[in-house]
Amino acid sequence: MSQKYGKGIVIVGVQYGDEGKGKIVDHYASKSYIDVVTRFNGGANAGHTIVTNKEKYALNLLPSGMVYGKPSYIGNGCVVDLERVKEELTQFPTKHHLLHISERAQLVLPHHKILDQYQEKMKQKRTLEVGTTKRGIGPAYHDKSSRFGIRFGDLWDEELLKQQVDLLSEYYQGFPLEVVNAVQPSHLMGLFSKWKASFKRMLCDTGVILSKKLSQGKNVLFEGAQSTLLDLDHGVYPFNTSSNCVVASASTGTGIAPHNLTERIGVVKAYTSRVGGGPIISEISDIPEGETLQKEGGEFGTSTGRPRRISWLDLVAVKYATRLNGLTGIALTKIDILGHLKEFEVVVEYEGYEIDPDFPSYPMRISDIKRIIPVTEILPSWGILSSESWRELKLKGWDSFPSELKSFIKMIEDYIGIPILLVGTGPSRSELIERNDLESSISVPSP
Ligand code: IMP
């Protein structure tokens, strides 16, 4: 009997976050062919604002399926701050029943947030500051891999819970008083009994549920957080986040088999930005072009207001991310911002660092990244177009778009070997050009 499986559509960032992933996820989450939305990595360090016709939503941890009334899952690969879940749920007073959290997901506890700040202070002295979101992400994953973390489902395993809490409080004895106080067993157990009462209904096994839905022909959107170059293993270590953010982690981070991840879309900004520390290739923050992109693109951190550092689009890195994630398509964002320059550059080669052009890597050593001299191509831009002009062009169709823009898109596609499916021309949801319709491939059954 041939069975028609649903599609697993994964959205991941390609650069250092802030590529505009939120908008691309919204685009797909709102489609009628998406039945379920799930997060698979990170925690409340992600963030996007969704503006619908009626409301504005700010999400850090909840999957964007909540906005569109779709069953929404937080996978086991995430670290979950239940207090923040409660806060974010106030935006959805009638939709709490849509949210489900993996029983295997690790909990973010109060001491994780204190430790996040403490670690950053120590790193600052050595110019190793990561510029974290201070949401306790690294320390929560630390407790997870040290095997004294508390999983959501452990709240209902009294014996193990008591032993783990005891271990935690002994382990952190030598730490600053604030940390010691935060891991007091009585304090933690009090928190846990409160959470047990509020969140029991959300307990689930994401692996079983999502596999079942896929086997019933339902399409699942896997909403990535952070980005490929921030990935714990494959990004710029130690200036990265503490989870795996690549496509493969949508499988390990929810418990579904990898072959279910049939559509793999990488989000690429038309230039590069980065918050926090760490080297970036081809940084241009200190020249007028960089300042223009920073100002016009609103490249300032959402929580701290810190200016994001800017560099040119790095196609070597994009090709690396394409290989690593097995990307099937690209969503290219913020091309309207690039139009504010007369001409711009694109990195096509690294001088001083050998890379196999067919199987590109990204330098693992910070000293190599700092040493690289980027080889760039200079391209003419398409100029500043009003929202109205972009709308008109969209109505007329892709052939009517400026030739400079079409050449830029073709150059990227030729370089990385996969199609650009979506092009972002402005901040709002409608300012997106769909070049290839994913929907047409959705009805094709998986092998
Ligand atoms: P953490 O994930 O809070 O530990 O922060 C680690 C690094 O990842 C820092 O440089 C953060 O600025 C960056 N980061 C984490 N989440 C995001 C995101 O959603 N967008 C952009 N950068 C992020």
Side-chain angles (χ1 to χ4, degrees):
M1 192 181 76
S2 78
Q3 201 172 7
K4 197 172 125 187
Y5 274 84
K7 295 278 179 183
I9 300 150
V10 194
I11 312 288
V12 293
V14 162
Q15 294 142 316
Y16 298 95
D18 304 315
E19 297 95 348
K21 227 171 12 265
K23 181 171 149 170
I24 305 303
V25 169
D26 298 342
H27 170 79
Y28 288 117
S30 66
K31 297 272 187 185
S32 59
Y33 59 79
I34 295 293
D35 302 293
V36 178
V37 182
T38 184
R39 282 273 310 264
F40 56 87
N41 76 303
N45 48 348
H48 71 268
T49 307
I50 302 181
V51 186
T52 65
N53 299 340
K54 296 183 209 137
E55 306 281 350
K56 185 172 172 183
Y57 300 91
L59 304 181
N60 292 120
L61 190 51
L62 299 192
S64 38
M66 293 296 291
V67 173
Y68 304 101
K70 301 189 177 176
S72 298
Y73 293 82
I74 297 180
N76 56 277
C78 296
V79 287
V80 182
D81 179 342
L82 289 174
E83 292 299 327
R84 194 163 270 268
V85 168
K86 200 189 291 174
E87 248 170 65
E88 285 185 31
L89 275 174
T90 59
Q91 301 173 92
F92 306 99
T94 59
K95 295 188 192 165
H96 291 196
H97 62 285
L98 293 172
L99 183 67
H100 308 275
I101 303 173
S102 165
E103 56 194 4
R104 290 173 182 269
Q106 295 277 327
L107 298 181
V108 173
L109 302 177
H111 71 282
H112 295 139
K113 290 181 224 169
I114 304 168
L115 282 166
D116 202 343
Q117 307 213 18
Y118 177 64
Q119 291 177 355
E120 281 287 274
K121 265 193 206 135
M122 290 180 83
K123 291 177 179 180
Q124 208 169 12
K125 288 188 225 155
R126 299 162 174 87
T127 60
L128 286 172
E129 192 187 6
V130 188
T132 72
T133 57
K134 313 279 194 300
R135 302 271 158 87
I137 306 301
Y141 281 112
H142 165 272
D143 282 4
K144 172 181 181 175
S145 36
S146 298
R147 284 145 296 166
F148 45 65
I150 310 289
R151 297 170 301 172
F152 182 38
D154 291 335
L155 299 185
W156 288 269
D157 187 346
E158 214 160 304
E159 191 185 337
L160 178 73
L161 191 62
K162 278 196 184 130
Q163 286 174 316
Q164 291 285 78
V165 165
D166 202 42
L167 181 59
L168 263 180
S169 92
E170 185 178 343
Y171 178 80
Y172 284 111
Q173 269 316 303
F175 280 71
L177 192 60
E178 226 188 329
V179 177
V180 175
N181 288 339
V183 291
Q184 283 295 319
S186 57
H187 171 64
L188 286 176
M189 293 309 272
L191 257 186
F192 296 157
S193 61
K194 200 175 77 173
W195 288 344
K196 275 170 76 170
S198 311
F199 294 100
K200 181 152 199 275
R201 194 204 47 74
M202 293 178 194
L203 262 182
C204 77
D205 181 334
T206 47
V208 170
I209 294 177
L210 297 176
S211 302
K212 218 177 257 183
K213 288 198 184 282
L214 286 158
S215 78
Q216 291 161 348
K218 307 265 189 225
N219 299 311
V220 180
L221 184 68
F222 294 83
E223 177 176 352
Q226 293 79 53
S227 285
T228 304
L229 293 179
L230 289 174
D231 182 273
L232 181 59
D233 289 82
H234 304 285
V236 183
Y237 190 91
F239 300 99
N240 45 356
T241 190
S242 298
S243 69
N244 287 113
C245 324
V246 291
V247 164
S249 47
S251 163
T252 56
T254 57
I256 56 103
H259 67 264
N260 288 303
L261 307 173
T262 49
E263 319 294 321
R264 302 170 294 274
I265 300 170
V267 186
V268 176
K269 185 151 64 181
Y271 51 93
T272 311
S273 71
R274 195 201 203 308
V275 280
I280 34 177
I281 291 169
S282 199
E283 183 160 2
I284 53 165
S285 297
D286 55 351
I287 63 169
E289 286 85 349
E291 283 168 21
T292 301
L293 295 176
Q294 193 179 63
K295 183 168 144 267
E296 299 297 338
E299 301 296 351
F300 298 90
T302 36
S303 46
T304 59
R306 275 179 309 175
R308 294 181 186 139
R309 295 150 64 205
I310 308 292
S311 62
W312 296 122
L313 174 64
D314 181 346
L315 285 185
V316 182
V318 176
K319 195 164 177 181
Y320 163 68
T322 303
R323 172 184 68 73
L324 182 62
N325 290 297
L327 296 179
T328 53
I330 292 284
L332 183 69
T333 61
K334 289 198 162 180
I335 54 149
D336 54 315
I337 304 301
L338 212 45
H340 285 267
L341 304 180
K342 277 203 172 61
E343 49 185 33
F344 59 89
E345 298 181 37
V346 177
V347 178
V348 290
E349 224 179 286
Y350 295 164
E351 200 181 302
Y353 187 81
E354 203 173 319
I355 288 182
D356 181 334
D358 296 324
F359 299 95
S361 61
Y362 196 79
M364 62 78 64
R365 284 186 194 84
I366 297 297
S367 54
D368 282 337
I369 299 176
K370 286 182 177 164
R371 200 162 38 82
I372 279 169
I373 301 167
V375 178
T376 62
E377 260 181 42
I378 300 174
L379 301 173
S381 109
W382 35 90
I384 302 170
L385 277 81
S386 65
S387 304
E388 186 55 39
S389 311
W390 285 116
R391 213 171 12 253
E392 276 170 23
L393 289 173
K394 189 174 165 179
L395 284 175
K396 283 190 200 153
W398 185 246
D399 286 345
S400 67
F401 277 76
S403 58
E404 295 86 353
L405 175 58
K406 285 192 286 189
S407 312
F408 177 48
I409 301 282
K410 183 166 183 320
M411 181 226 180
I412 299 175
E413 289 183 331
D414 288 348
Y415 192 101
I416 59 174
I418 56 168
I420 293 183
L421 308 174
L422 295 169
V423 179
T425 60
S428 82
R429 248 175 68 197
S430 60
E431 291 170 298
L432 201 55
I433 301 154
E434 215 163 352
R435 293 185 67 233
N436 287 31
D437 182 14
L438 188 62
E439 192 167 2
S440 55
S441 76
I442 291 291
S443 56
V444 180
S446 296

